[in-house]
């Protein structure tokens, strides 16, 4: 399945569209083993490599359309399955009003432009935290482990500097979408709360990549700009979700990435949503 109409929160219509799988490499290159046996990660991985999903959330709110994340195009072809998935779900790419990446890593902004330098979403504004744009466009990123993401950010953001809209913590950045600054994975990583009153959905982003990080929330993610801050943010966010029984959307969990976080002992677990959970 590449797309799914998942229902509504408040007056906001929700769709999840797949941007395809993403190979993030071997467990010991992604996670610090101090708090987790890598064998546990490997059990949930493919041939010793961690392959996660890229779930893109599309919303209709007050007559406007936004997508959260854009996915990374396939390296060999430059194609992004997100586009066909959006079309099959009934979306016109030219009528999407906003792209709302949680941060500026390559699998989140890499689908803004095609490989020929044309905009895939020609009328969309791009909503990001200003500190993430500043960080990933800085020359300091070149020659570091983050160079590939920096180059992808340059290719996708520099031609669209006039389309950038910056949000701050606790600010409505799109109708019925409130930003929540959740730094650690990147300096400007931002999660979002969609809906109103008690009818809400939390967009997690890359606070969590793999379900192993729920059972072992202290485990550091080595892709984080600040791994210690990443752990602190993860612990705070998971407790926030579990204590409120708030449904959440996980970018890298198995499609469609929607479910609840439940507290279990010293950790947490993911409970997928069923159709009856939605209005």
């Amino acid at each position: 399945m590449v797309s799914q109409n998942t229902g509504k929160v408040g007056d906001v219509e929700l769709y999840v569209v797949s941007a395809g799988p993403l190979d993030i490499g071997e467990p010991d290159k992604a996670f610090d083993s101090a708090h987790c046996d890598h064998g546990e990660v490997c059990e949930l991985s493919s041939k010793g490599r961690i392959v996660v999903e890229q779930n893109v959330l599309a919303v209709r709110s007050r007559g406007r359309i936004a997508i959260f994340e854009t996915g990374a195009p396939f390296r060999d072809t430059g194609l992004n399955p997100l586009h066909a998935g959006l079309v099959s779900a009934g979306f016109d790419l030219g009528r999407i009003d906003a792209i709302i990446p949680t941060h500026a890593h390559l699998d989140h902004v890499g689908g803004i432009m095609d490989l020929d330098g044309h905009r895939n979403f020609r009328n969309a504004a791009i909503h990001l935290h200003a500190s993430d744009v500043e960080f990933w466009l800085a020359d300091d990123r070149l020659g570091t482990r983050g160079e590939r993401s920096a180059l992808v950010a340059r290719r996708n953001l520099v031609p669209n500097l006039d389309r950038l809209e910056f949000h701050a913590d606790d600010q409505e950045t799109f109708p019925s979408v409130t930003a929540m600054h959740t730094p650690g994975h990147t300096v400007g990583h931002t999660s979002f709360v969609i809906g109103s009153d008690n009818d809400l959905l939390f967009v997690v982003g890359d606070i969590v990549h793999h379900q192993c990080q729920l059972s072992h929330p202290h485990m550091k993610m080595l892709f984080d700009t600040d791994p210690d801050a990443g752990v602190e943010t993860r612990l705070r966010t998971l407790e926030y979700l579990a204590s409120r029984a708030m449904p959440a959307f996980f970018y890298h969990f198995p499609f469609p990435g929607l479910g609840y976080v439940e507290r279990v002992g010293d950790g947490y677990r993911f409970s997928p949503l069923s159709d009856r959970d939605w209005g």
Side-chain angles (χ1 to χ4, degrees):
M1 182 179 291
V2 297
S3 63
Q4 177 176 316
N5 183 336
T6 62
K8 299 175 71 175
V9 286
D11 294 328
V12 182
E13 297 177 27
L14 307 174
Y15 299 79
V16 180
V17 182
S18 174
L22 181 70
D23 184 337
I24 62 173
E26 300 170 4
D28 61 356
K29 294 182 179 178
F31 298 115
D32 173 18
S33 62
H35 293 92
C36 181
D37 177 1
H38 282 155
E40 180 179 346
V41 180
C42 289
E43 284 181 9
L44 302 175
S45 304
S46 175
K47 298 180 180 179
R49 297 184 68 83
I50 303 173
V51 179
V52 296
E53 297 298 325
Q54 297 179 99
N55 302 311
V56 173
L57 183 66
V59 303
R60 282 195 177 100
S61 179
R62 300 181 207 166
R64 301 181 66 200
I65 300 169
I67 59 171
F68 292 81
E69 326 292 16
T70 67
F74 294 151
R75 279 191 178 187
D76 52 347
T77 64
L79 298 176
N80 189 331
L82 171 64
H83 306 147
L86 286 169
V87 171
S88 70
F91 292 98
D92 179 344
L93 303 189
R95 300 189 67 180
I96 290 175
D97 299 286
I99 300 165
I100 310 178
T102 53
H103 60 295
H105 273 162
L106 60 92
D107 53 320
H108 297 261
V109 302
I112 294 175
M113 306 289 287
D114 67 21
L115 294 184
D116 294 324
H118 302 120
R119 296 185 176 107
N120 288 315
F121 308 94
R122 61 182 181 274
N123 294 310
I126 302 165
H127 298 239
L128 279 164
H129 196 285
S131 62
D132 232 42
V133 174
E134 180 181 2
F135 183 90
W136 289 106
L137 295 187
D139 291 342
D140 293 351
R141 304 288 80 76
L142 303 180
T144 71
R145 184 180 181 183
E147 181 177 67
R148 185 174 170 226
S149 267
L151 293 175
V152 172
R154 288 180 179 220
R155 180 167 57 80
N156 285 273
L157 298 181
V158 170
N160 294 293
L161 293 178
D162 61 331
R163 293 170 180 256
L164 292 180
E165 296 190 11
F166 299 123
H167 48 64
D169 189 39
D170 201 30
Q171 178 185 52
E172 185 177 69
T173 190
F174 190 78
S176 298
V177 175
T178 299
M180 181 181 289
H181 189 208
T182 48
H185 183 59
T186 67
V187 295
H189 185 283
T190 302
S191 301
F192 300 92
V193 178
I194 301 174
S196 58
D197 300 324
N198 293 320
D199 197 1
L200 303 169
L201 176 70
F202 190 91
V203 177
V204 175
D206 277 11
I207 294 173
V208 179
H209 287 76
H210 192 283
Q211 291 188 50
C212 185
Q213 291 174 284
L214 298 186
S215 53
H216 300 278
H218 289 87
M219 181 173 58
K220 294 179 181 179
M221 176 56 160
L222 300 181
F223 297 151
D224 287 357
T225 301
D226 185 337
D228 290 327
V231 170
E232 181 181 344
T233 293
R234 179 162 52 256
L235 290 168
R236 185 173 63 250
T237 302
L238 293 177
E239 185 58 26
Y240 173 88
L241 294 173
S243 64
R244 290 165 174 76
M246 182 186 295
F249 173 71
F250 291 83
Y251 183 59
H252 288 305
F253 277 17
F255 185 90
L258 292 157
Y260 291 98
V261 172
E262 299 173 345
R263 197 181 298 106
V264 180
D266 294 331
Y268 302 85
R269 69 182 174 198
F270 177 70
S271 179
L273 267 70
S274 63
D275 292 342
R276 65 178 178 274
D277 290 310
W278 295 102

